[in-house]
Amino acid sequence: MMEFTPHSSPSNTGWIEVVAGCMFSGKTEELIRRLRRANIARLNVKVFKPKIDIRYSESEIVSHSEQSLPSILVDSPNEILTLSEEAQVVGIDEAQFFSNDLVEVCNKLANQGKRVIVAGLDQDYRGIPFEPMPQLLAIAEYITKTLAICVVCGNPADKTQRKVVSTERVLVGAADSYEARCRKCHYIPE
Ligand code: ZN
C-alpha cells in the first residue's frame, strides 16, 4: 500500500480524502487503516455505509480480508450529515451506492472542519466511471488509487471483471461473480 500524504494534518480546516479502485484492490482495508489511526488519536470517528451493502455485516464495514469496523447503515447521504454533528472524522464506504447528493454532503462536512474519508468503486463492470466517484475525486484534496492484481496476467489491475451475464449496474452480495483484471484482460460481457 502506498503511503498516505497528510502525516501532519492541516489545521483549523476540514478536507476530503478519496480512496478509489476496483474490487479486491484493498479500498476498504485502506479506509479501515486510516479510521483506526484516527481512533487511536482519540478523535471522534463516525463510519457510514449504504443500506444496500449488507453482504458481510449489518453494522460493520468489512474488507475482503475480513478486517472490520463498526459502522452506521444509512439510506441517503443527508442522514450522514445529521448523524455526524459530533464527529471530527467521517468515514464513508461503498460511495458508489450513494446518490450524487453525497458530493454536496462531503463538501458540507469538510466545510464544517471535519476530515472526510470516502472509499468506493471508481468504475463499474464495463469500466465506466461510477457516480458519484468522479465528482468526489474532483473535489477531494487527497486521492489514493488502489490497484488489484490481474488474475489473468498478474499486471496491476484497475478494472472489475463481471463473470456472470447481467446488465444490472450493481449486483449486490455477489463478490464471487467478479474478479480484478488489467486493461488488457478486461472485457465487457454481452
Ligand atoms: Zn491482465
Side-chain angles (χ1 to χ4, degrees):
M1 182 54 59
M2 206 164 43
E3 199 47 58
F4 173 62
T5 24
H7 287 292
S8 58
S9 305
S11 58
N12 297 319
T13 182
W15 69 90
I16 299 172
E17 300 164 26
V18 172
V19 181
C22 61
M23 285 178 72
F24 314 107
S25 65
K27 298 183 299 297
T28 302
E29 277 101 327
E30 178 58 17
L31 176 65
I32 290 172
R33 189 183 75 85
R34 292 181 194 181
L35 295 172
R36 283 237 168 93
R37 291 166 69 95
N39 269 327
I40 292 166
R42 300 180 191 282
L43 295 168
N44 186 326
V45 178
K46 285 267 190 322
V47 190
F48 300 92
K49 67 176 186 179
K51 261 187 191 149
I52 192 172
D53 179 40
I54 51 168
R55 51 189 176 173
Y56 300 104
S57 165
E58 293 276 342
S59 56
E60 293 178 315
I61 55 171
V62 183
S63 70
H64 290 295
S65 60
E66 312 239 305
Q67 296 188 70
S68 68
L69 208 65
S71 68
I72 303 165
L73 287 170
V74 290
D75 279 315
S76 80
N78 282 313
E79 287 177 63
I80 298 175
L81 209 52
T82 322
L83 295 167
S84 294
E85 271 176 32
E86 306 290 309
Q88 296 164 286
V89 179
V90 179
I92 301 165
D93 199 14
E94 302 289 1
Q96 78 282 353
F97 291 152
F98 282 111
S99 70
N100 280 344
D101 292 345
L102 186 63
V103 181
E104 188 54 31
V105 165
C106 288
N107 256 337
K108 282 184 181 161
L109 292 168
N111 290 344
Q112 289 168 6
K114 303 178 197 300
R115 175 184 177 194
V116 183
I117 316 170
V118 190
L121 272 182
D122 54 359
Q123 301 162 64
D124 69 9
Y125 72 99
R126 298 163 296 177
I128 293 172
F130 209 147
E131 306 80 26
M133 289 298 286
Q135 292 83 355
L136 290 167
L137 286 161
I139 63 165
E141 278 88 348
Y142 303 100
I143 294 168
T144 302
K145 176 116 176 184
T146 51
L147 295 173
I149 302 296
C150 177
V151 300
V152 177
C153 75
N155 270 318
D158 95 320
K159 304 266 186 279
T160 301
Q161 181 66 55
R162 180 174 284 178
K163 298 189 291 178
V164 296
V165 179
S166 166
T167 53
E168 296 287 313
R169 198 170 198 194
V170 175
L171 289 179
V172 180
D176 54 359
S177 306
Y178 295 97
E179 60 193 24
R181 298 270 183 108
C182 74
R183 177 182 294 283
K184 206 178 64 183
C185 301
H186 176 263
Y187 66 94
I188 301 167
E190 288 306 342

